[in-house]
Amino acid sequence: MSKTELEQNKNEDELKLLLSQVNRRLEKIHLGGGEKKIAKLHKRGKMTARERVDYLIDENSSFLEVGAFAGYEMYQEYGGCPGGGVLTGIGYVSGRQCMIIANDATVKAGAWFPITGKKNLRAQEIAMENRLPLIYLVDSAGVFLPMQDEIFPDKEHFGRIFRNNAKISSMGIPQISAIMGSCVAGGAYLPIMSDEALIVEGTGSIFLAGPYLVKAAIGEEVDQETLGGATTHSEISGVTDYKCPDDKSCLDTIKDLVSKMGHFPKTGFDRIESVAPKRPAEDLFRVFPESRTKPYKTKDLLECLVDEGNITYYKDGYGKTIVCAYARIDGWAVGIVANNREIVRTKTGETQFGGVIYSDSADKAARFIMNCNQKKIPLVFLHDVSGFMVGSRSEHGGIIKDGAKMVNAVSNSTVPKFSIVLGNSYGAGNYAMCGKAYDPRLIVAWPTAKIAVMGGAQAAKTLLQIQVATKKARGEEVSPGEQAELLAKIQARYDSQTTPYYAAARLWVDAIIDPRQTRTWISEGIEAANHAPIEPFNPGVIQT
């Protein structure tokens, strides 16, 4: 076996090991509050959030789950919040893409933690950007009171969701809510601010204040069903539109309602018949190196991702640390901006390090992004970037100006943008490559991703220098042994914050995906984006 084959086998083993770790953690997350809580729901005749979504979406269709790792290893003092206590994603219902939001009643009775609110807002944002119908499967006890100050009053808190309900309605985007369990207090506004509301008999209830609070507030004694059950709201108050005997009939009614919706005109992104890539998706495991410091050919990765015979490299011999190319993914025309991890030499003899953005690369990428906007071609960013080149030579060459040009083009880009974090995504490189702050329609990570202001080793050494200097300023001596121990602690803490799990827990990325599913995420993302118009591109003032 050759050295190359040994390296490829090592790459494959490492990436598959990382992927198996992702899948094991997902299996646990999918259980929500655990098997006992699931059994308790079933005993009441209720389906779990995942069972409801599985039944709702079309058989053998894709479901892009957004935010599965939301809340991962957070709120441990309260017992955790698997999946953020809510299931969200893009699925096909009666043949059309919808954004589905389903409370998970096995997690603290579906109570809203801060991350729950953030995840709901992200789902609404995706629906608004892509004009996707919204389906809410409501089963929640309301705000998690011990953390009410972090979920209730601010712009990105609980109340923003109802504001979005109104905005979404004004945009003409259909919203359907099914009250399949508890729906109390402020949360009662969500389903009733939707276009249509369904309620399940016997398990669904909706009111501003439950029986206990009513007794405390006005002294009235009333049971839950009389106060806000299905019969009350379907036959007396008129708050709900459809009364359903059980979960399945409720979901069947939603399918029927969706099947009769009109359609938005398509934006017109170009698509032809899909062609398989030149290389199988499995080769991604062999091409992508097990170490983040090893170079590799980005073009080899592209051969596993894009339709065979449909790739044209832009300014191929210039600005070589970024690859720009027109291609097709599952038939869709795309513009690809990818960090090149090879060490390259320019015609002037300069050595450029892979994964670093130089002035010429930034200039090239900015022009390419503007061209894609001119042609209405969706953009795909493949991150494996250490940042922009530093040092006196780069500064004198205007790296800040050229970097700003690229960031400007990304910021003002109006065609749909999709970001895939393959490896490193550090510092301003994350910004230039369309990180979360730059409004990608979807942003996902491979298990190999690392997102931070800089690499762990560099950050740890910088922080160590600061801490040692502070101690010396106080007259304290720091021995080499103490410095080594301090460095190890700093790097361990920093490294734990650069993992894809840390990013996904906080919704810096929408999902951690199997690399073989990259084409699916991009294709389904463009399919969603094709429902929404795009604004004219205006880059504003760009320094040249």
Side-chain angles (χ1 to χ4, degrees), residues 8 29 38 51 68 80 101 148 156 180 195 226 237 324 333 377 387 446 485 487 519 532:
Q8 289 177 342
I29 288 169
I38 292 172
E51 289 167 345
I101 301 175
Q148 65 85 26
E156 294 185 350
M180 309 183 81
D195 302 326
T226 303
S237 72
C324 297
I377 299 175
W446 285 8
E485 184 179 348
L487 179 64
R519 274 171 60 90

Side-chain angles (χ1 to χ4, degrees), residues 318-383:
Y318 178 76
K320 292 185 178 181
T321 63
I322 284 184
V323 172
C324 297
Y326 298 109
R328 290 191 183 272
I329 292 178
D330 197 24
W332 293 105
V334 296
I336 295 173
V337 181
N339 302 114
N340 185 17
R341 293 293 302 193
E342 290 182 277
I343 297 174
V344 299
R345 295 189 184 278
T346 66
K347 287 189 176 180
T348 60
E350 179 189 3
T351 299
Q352 293 187 342
F353 299 99
V356 178
I357 302 176
Y358 289 77
S359 283
D360 54 356
S361 297
D363 177 72
K364 162 182 160 179
R367 179 59 182 263
F368 179 74
I369 291 165
M370 288 189 280
N371 281 343
C372 287
N373 275 272
Q374 176 78 359
K375 301 175 185 178
K376 293 187 178 180
I377 299 175
L379 283 159
V380 175
F381 294 84
L382 303 178
H383 297 221

Side-chain angles (χ1 to χ4, degrees), residues 11-56:
N11 294 343
E12 184 175 7
D13 290 344
E14 177 63 20
L15 188 43
K16 285 188 172 178
L17 177 62
L18 292 174
L19 183 58
S20 69
Q21 291 172 351
V22 172
N23 290 332
R24 285 199 304 273
R25 290 169 182 177
L26 278 174
E27 286 175 8
K28 188 174 180 181
I29 288 169
H30 289 173
L31 289 174
E35 292 179 352
K36 288 184 178 178
K37 295 287 181 66
I38 292 172
K40 190 175 178 181
L41 278 189
H42 288 166
K43 191 174 180 180
R44 295 185 58 199
K46 296 172 68 174
M47 302 164 75
T48 66
R50 290 191 178 275
E51 289 167 345
R52 288 167 176 167
V53 171
D54 286 343
Y55 185 83
L56 179 64

Side-chain angles (χ1 to χ4, degrees), residues 449-511:
K450 291 184 178 294
I451 300 173
V453 73
M454 65 178 73
Q458 302 97 306
K461 288 175 184 176
T462 302
L463 291 168
L464 175 68
Q465 292 174 23
I466 294 169
Q467 291 194 24
V468 169
T470 301
K471 287 177 178 289
K472 286 183 177 180
R474 293 198 299 257
E476 301 174 22
E477 289 298 319
V478 185
S479 70
E482 288 173 324
Q483 286 193 38
E485 184 179 348
L486 190 57
L487 179 64
K489 286 182 179 178
I490 292 171
Q491 182 154 355
R493 185 178 71 249
Y494 193 89
D495 285 344
S496 71
Q497 296 174 352
T498 67
T499 69
Y501 300 105
Y502 193 89
R506 289 153 182 80
L507 293 173
W508 301 346
V509 296
D510 293 316

Side-chain angles (χ1 to χ4, degrees), residues 268-274 328-333 523-524 527:
F269 299 124
D270 189 68
R271 190 180 198 185
I272 62 174
E273 187 176 347
S274 178
R328 290 191 183 272
I329 292 178
D330 197 24
W332 293 105
S523 178
E524 291 295 334
E527 176 68 43

Side-chain angles (χ1 to χ4, degrees), residues 199-217:
I199 189 166
V200 177
E201 202 168 1
T203 55
S205 60
I206 177 169
F207 32 63
L208 294 181
Y212 293 117
L213 184 53
V214 168
K215 176 69 183 295

Side-chain angles (χ1 to χ4, degrees), residues 291-319:
S291 170
R292 300 297 348 104
T293 60
K294 291 183 179 179
Y296 62 90
K297 293 182 179 179
T298 299
K299 290 182 180 180
D300 289 344
L301 282 182
L302 295 185
E303 289 183 353
C304 305
L305 294 173
V306 307
D307 294 10
E308 185 176 6
N310 272 300
I311 189 161
T312 303
Y313 291 102
Y314 174 81
K315 291 185 181 290
D316 197 25
Y318 178 76

